[in-house]
Each structure stands twice: as structure tokens, then as C-alpha cells.
Amino acid sequence: MEVCYQLPVLPLDRLVPKHVLSRRGAISFSSSSSLFGAPDPRQLSQRRGAISYDSSDQTALYIRMLDVRVRSQVGFEPERRSSHPYLCIDFRTLHTRPSSGSTSADSSPERRVHRLLSFQRYLHSSRLLRGIPQQIPLHILDEDYTGQARCMLEKVGTWNFDIFLFDRLTNGNSLITLTLHLLNQYGLVELFQLDMLKLWRFLVMVQEDYHSDNPYHNAVHAADVTQAMYCFMQEPILAKSLTSCDILLGLLAAATHDLDHPGVNQPFLIKTDHYLATLYRNNSVLENHHWKSAVGLLRETGLFSHLPAEDSLNMERELGSLILATDISRQNDYLCRFRRHLDQDNLCVSNASHRHFLLQMALKCADICNPCRPWELSKQWSEKVTDEFFQQGDIEKKHKLEVSPVCDREMNTVGNIQIGFMTYVVEPLFAEWTRFSDTRLSHTMMGHMRLNKASWGALLREQSSVAAGPSSPGTDPEDGDGAATGGSSSKEIPQGSRES
């Protein structure tokens, strides 16, 4: 018997009883406090992002696990005392315009409370503090859109899955819908006896903590990586060897691998003396933050609270190991190890540590698989990630910082950035993955990447010829043929699927 869950279009606080919904936005309420009343300021001052300072809060990640001293009742100082004044950059305002009449509010105690919240959830909490309902509540779709989304989920294992269309059909809830579907499809909800309400809260909080203002590192990217991770785990060599625990960790790691991403890279955090760089000692700063944020949400929702404590801690550690593997600065280390295993032919899928390493490699491939998608999808992702790079470069110019590589819009284009990225990062990784999993899907991805690389090259030549003025008669047809080949031939490549 199939059970369908249909919820009315209501704010989240009316869907769940007060004693169950102990959190809205990033604010933890006690069971005795009113849901719509003003929260206790002492409770607000004990939270920062997804980390709790309250020793009585058993469902959140304790700050003492991070080996950090609380400097004051309010929380961390955002920057060290040696920081330059122009380096005090508030990540909440990177992609937003300052509103009028906010100068007096910036110095108020309420402003200090906001600094304790995560980058994304301060918006939700600030509206709650002022008694203003959320402007964009989590709507539930009507039957027509739900039906179309359900039809797309029937082909979730195909490589040409259009995550942008799926996100529109789910009204911006692609990450929640896709992850919940895959967990159910594998039977993991029943197998691990996951509480549906806790799971729903966890997925909602995960999606909320992705910054919708980020052009690239947002919830749609997380959903896209989760779908790609599913495709890789469906490859025959992995499908017959992965355990249920491996699959659960793979899906959760894909869904949370960029959680609370601020839209800037690690060098930017380091050179601006951001507190995250100090906290993690300039080592995999963003990846550590994504991992700790995910663990905080797991504990806050109590998703694994029914499991033995040792099992829960092991899952958190392995989740962190997967997320930390996505650090692009460690790409060469993982690639060399992967190549060495393949050269020696000593990968044993029955070995738990080897399976975990293969999950790491699968997640790395899923994270940067956009150049291997069909041209219509790959081009959109390329433009989005370049837009995010250029936004960081604009911020660096504004604050008179050295502009990071590929972040200067006056010196770079989408095409040359993508060609370099494919040549030096994507192609070497996927060449080794094809050696490991020589399937139809692997050859489909390599074919798309070659065509996309040729398409960007053709566009660059076309742009150069336009900038240089009228070109010789023999060059225009060649450029036109190259662009047409990159744009249309990708459709002729057989699409890899979960059956391959």
C-alpha cells in the first residue's frame, strides 16, 4: 500500500506542534516558551550557526568538541585583533544590497544576536524576532507539479537528468525531494528506522542552510551532486558491493558537502582573517565547516539518536571523511592514490576501507561532474560558477585585496576558465574513473566532456574573430561547424543510466 503525504500550504510552525518544533531558523526554543513570543536572549546568545554552547542541549554539536574557548557570552570575535579594518567583511551582505534606515540597527544588541547565527539563517530569525512571517515559506506543490516531478524521479538514474527543471517543478525544493526519494528507494528509512519527522526537519534545515543567493554553491548544486552520486553508486562494480551504511553515508555526504557555503573560496577566508580560517587553522576550512554544520544538524534533529552512540559517532566521522575529500586543494593526493591502486590492481570492494575510498572518489567526481553533463546543462553550470568567481573578484577589488586567480572578470572569460578546468582537473580524474568503471556511463561522460571542451573553444574563437573584426572567408565556417558540433553532437551520445 502506497502512502502519500500531503501537507497544506502553511508555515512550518503550524505544521508541527510546539513541543516538536523546537527550532525555527537558527533559534532554539525551550518547551515552555511561546512559539510566536520573544525568545529568551540567553538562549540566543548560546548559539552560533549550527553549533550550540548550551551544555543542556543534547541535540546539537557542543562547542567543546571543536576545542575552542568561548571568549564572551556573545560568542566568537568575528576577526582577530590584528585584522585590518577593511578586512571585516560580513558574508551575509555579499550578494545583497544594503537597505535604507539600517544604520541605527547595526549597533543595537539585536544586531549582535544576528552575528551568532549561520550565514543563511539570520534572515529567518530576524523576521521571527520582529514578528514578521517568512516572505518565502516552504510551499507544498499541487498535484500537477507533483505528478511531473514524480515522472522525472522515475528517470533519476539517467545522466541527462535536468536538475534545473526538477527544481522548478518542486518549487525550489529539489534537494529535499530528491534526497528523500533516494533514501526511500533504497529502503534506508525503514532499514535504519529513521523517524520521518526528524528526517524531514533535517532535510529542510539542510536546504535552508544553503545560500540561495550564491549563483553556484546553493541547494540546486547539492541536489545535482546527490543525483550524480546516485548514478555512480548504481555502477555495477559499486552496486553489488556497497553496504546500506555506505549508501546512506554517500547520499548524506552529497547532500551536505557544501552546507552553509559563503560563496567565496578558502584563500579569501584566509587573507581576510575570517574566524573559520582561524578555527580550522587554514586547513580545509570550508570542508571542515560543511562537515561540522552537517553534524550539528544531525544532532540537533536527533536523526541518529536512536542508534548506539558508537555507531552514530562512527557515521559522523565517516561523513566528515567523505566531505573533506572534496577539498580541491587535495585533488592530486587522491588522484595519485587512486591511480596507484589501479596500476597495482589491488582495490578490493570487500574491504571496508577500500569501499570508503571509492565513495570518496565517487563524491569527488560528482562534485565536479558539470563539464561531463550534456552541453545544455553544462553550459548553465559553467556560467553560474564563473559568476560566483567574478562576484568574489569584485569584492576583493572593492576592499583592495589581491584578486584571486580566475576571479577577475576583466582578465578571464567563461570559456578559458572552463577549458583550463577541464584540462587540468576534470579530465585526469574522470580518465582514472573510467579505468576503474569501464561502463557506458563513463564513456558517455568522457564524450560529453570532449564535446563541451570543443564547444568552449569554438565560442572563444568566435569571440576573438568578432573582437578582431571581419575575418578571412575560411575561418567563419570552421568556427560555425565547431560550435554546431559542440551544441548538437552531445545529443547523439548514448546516455548512461543506472541499468548500464
Side-chain angles (χ1 to χ4, degrees):
M1 178 180 177
E2 183 180 358
V3 180
C4 297
Y5 297 93
Q6 292 185 345
L7 300 177
V9 183
L10 293 173
L12 189 59
D13 47 45
R14 297 183 60 185
L15 295 177
V16 186
K18 295 181 181 180
H19 68 281
V20 176
L21 184 60
S22 59
R23 177 186 176 283
R24 182 182 178 108
I27 305 175
S28 296
F29 296 93
S30 65
S31 57
S32 59
S33 63
S34 172
L35 185 61
F36 298 100
D40 189 346
R42 292 174 297 177
Q43 293 174 325
L44 293 178
S45 66
Q46 290 171 337
R47 283 193 58 81
R48 185 187 188 99
I51 301 174
S52 173
Y53 298 91
D54 187 0
S55 59
S56 64
D57 185 358
Q58 299 298 320
T59 61
L61 179 63
Y62 295 133
I63 190 63
R64 61 172 174 269
M65 292 186 62
L66 303 180
D67 192 25
V68 177
R69 294 179 180 271
V70 182
R71 300 184 181 180
S72 65
Q73 186 178 4
V74 175
F76 289 115
E77 297 177 4
E79 275 73 319
R80 293 199 296 265
R81 295 181 183 275
S82 60
S83 301
H84 297 286
Y86 62 82
L87 297 185
C88 300
I89 300 173
D90 188 352
F91 290 99
R92 299 190 306 267
T93 61
L94 288 186
H95 311 300
T96 57
R97 299 178 179 177
S99 58
S100 59
S102 60
T103 55
S104 61
D106 290 345
S107 58
S108 65
E110 187 178 66
R111 182 70 173 181
R112 298 177 67 193
V113 170
H114 290 174
R115 294 189 64 84
L116 298 178
L117 309 181
S118 69
F119 297 137
Q120 180 72 355
R121 278 178 276 162
Y122 93 102
L123 286 174
H124 303 287
S125 61
S126 62
R127 295 190 185 104
L128 185 65
L129 289 173
R130 298 193 301 269
I132 302 175
Q134 296 186 22
Q135 295 179 358
I136 309 178
L138 181 64
H139 294 295
I140 307 300
L141 300 175
D142 58 30
E143 287 297 327
D144 291 337
Y145 278 85
T146 303
Q148 296 179 57
R150 188 181 297 113
C151 289
M152 287 196 67
L153 287 175
E154 294 177 357
K155 300 181 179 180
V156 70
T158 56
W159 190 244
N160 60 350
F161 187 85
D162 190 342
I163 195 64
F164 298 108
L165 174 60
F166 184 73
D167 190 64
R168 292 193 295 271
L169 292 176
T170 56
N171 199 28
N173 296 309
S174 56
L175 182 57
I176 298 174
T177 309
L178 180 69
T179 308
L180 190 59
H181 170 78
L182 294 178
L183 292 174
N184 276 315
Q185 181 165 304
Y186 276 114
L188 299 176
V189 176
E190 181 178 0
L191 181 62
F192 287 92
Q193 299 181 348
L194 301 179
D195 182 272
M196 282 300 299
L197 180 58
K198 293 179 180 179
L199 177 59
W200 178 260
R201 284 192 62 216
F202 172 75
L203 294 177
V204 169
M205 292 159 65
V206 166
Q207 183 171 276
E208 283 183 349
D209 278 5
Y210 277 97
H211 300 203
S212 59
D213 289 335
N214 287 345
Y216 182 81
H217 289 102
N218 49 44
V220 183
H221 165 67
D224 184 65
V225 173
T226 303
Q227 189 271 337
M229 188 68 172
Y230 171 72
C231 291
F232 295 148
M233 292 192 299
Q234 286 293 101
E235 290 288 78
I237 194 171
L238 291 179
K240 63 183 181 182
S241 59
L242 292 178
T243 66
S244 298
C245 187
D246 294 333
I247 296 172
L248 177 62
L249 286 172
L251 293 177
L252 291 182
T256 61
H257 80 283
D258 275 331
L259 191 62
D260 201 27
H261 197 293
V264 292
N265 58 20
Q266 174 174 295
F268 183 92
L269 297 177
I270 294 175
K271 65 186 175 184
T272 56
D273 281 342
H274 192 265
Y275 78 92
L276 288 178
T278 305
L279 180 63
Y280 299 115
R281 302 179 182 179
N282 299 342
N283 182 34
S284 298
V285 176
L286 287 171
E287 290 72 25
N288 271 295
H289 178 59
H290 305 326
W291 168 35
K292 296 298 183 180
S293 299
V295 172
L297 295 187
L298 284 173
R299 295 195 177 189
E300 189 166 356
T301 58
L303 185 60
F304 294 152
S305 60
H306 61 290
L307 300 177
E310 184 177 356
D311 293 344
S312 180
L313 289 175
N314 286 336
M315 294 187 72
E316 291 173 1
R317 283 192 290 266
E318 292 190 6
L319 180 68
S321 177
L322 292 175
I323 295 177
L324 290 174
T326 61
D327 186 354
I328 199 68
S329 65
R330 302 175 61 191
Q331 173 88 353
N332 194 52
D333 297 337
Y334 283 93
L335 184 59
C336 290
R337 181 183 171 189
F338 194 31
R339 185 180 292 121
R340 186 167 57 250
H341 276 301
L342 295 176
D343 291 340
Q344 299 174 359
D345 194 22
N346 61 358
L347 276 173
C348 180
V349 292
S350 61
N351 185 299
S353 62
H354 284 193
R355 288 199 312 274
H356 185 76
F357 175 69
L358 291 175
L359 279 179
Q360 290 177 317
M361 298 307 300
L363 183 58
K364 290 180 67 63
C365 289
D367 190 26
I368 61 173
C369 72
N370 302 144
C372 301
R373 296 282 192 180
W375 171 252
E376 294 78 8
L377 301 175
S378 178
K379 184 174 183 290
Q380 294 184 65
W381 284 121
S382 300
E383 292 169 346
K384 289 177 180 295
V385 70
T386 306
D387 187 20
E388 190 167 296
F389 289 158
F390 289 166
Q391 286 189 9
Q392 174 179 326
D394 294 342
I395 296 170
E396 290 168 333
K397 291 179 181 179
K398 177 181 178 182
H399 293 276
K400 294 181 172 54
L401 300 172
E402 180 183 357
V403 180
S404 301
V406 309
C407 291
D408 192 340
R409 67 174 71 246
E410 298 177 0
M411 303 294 295
N412 299 279
T413 63
V414 180
N416 60 33
I417 291 175
Q418 287 304 304
I419 290 177
F421 182 61
M422 292 186 215
T423 302
Y424 299 109
V425 180
V426 181
E427 195 168 2
L429 177 62
F430 278 85
E432 299 304 321
W433 181 263
T434 303
R435 287 180 59 196
F436 164 69
S437 179
D438 189 8
T439 63
R440 184 184 183 188
L441 173 59
S442 297
H443 290 285
T444 297
M445 294 188 297
M446 295 297 291
H448 283 316
M449 180 171 58
R450 287 190 290 267
L451 289 174
N452 293 337
K453 189 175 180 180
S455 297
W456 285 119
L459 288 177
L460 284 178
R461 291 192 296 271
E462 182 180 352
Q463 292 171 359
S464 299
S465 63
V466 171
S471 57
S472 60
T475 57
D476 285 343
E478 181 181 352
D479 292 345
D481 291 341
T485 301
S488 62
S489 296
S490 62
K491 300 179 182 178
E492 300 172 3
I493 297 179
Q495 297 297 327
S497 66
R498 64 189 182 201
E499 286 82 9
S500 60

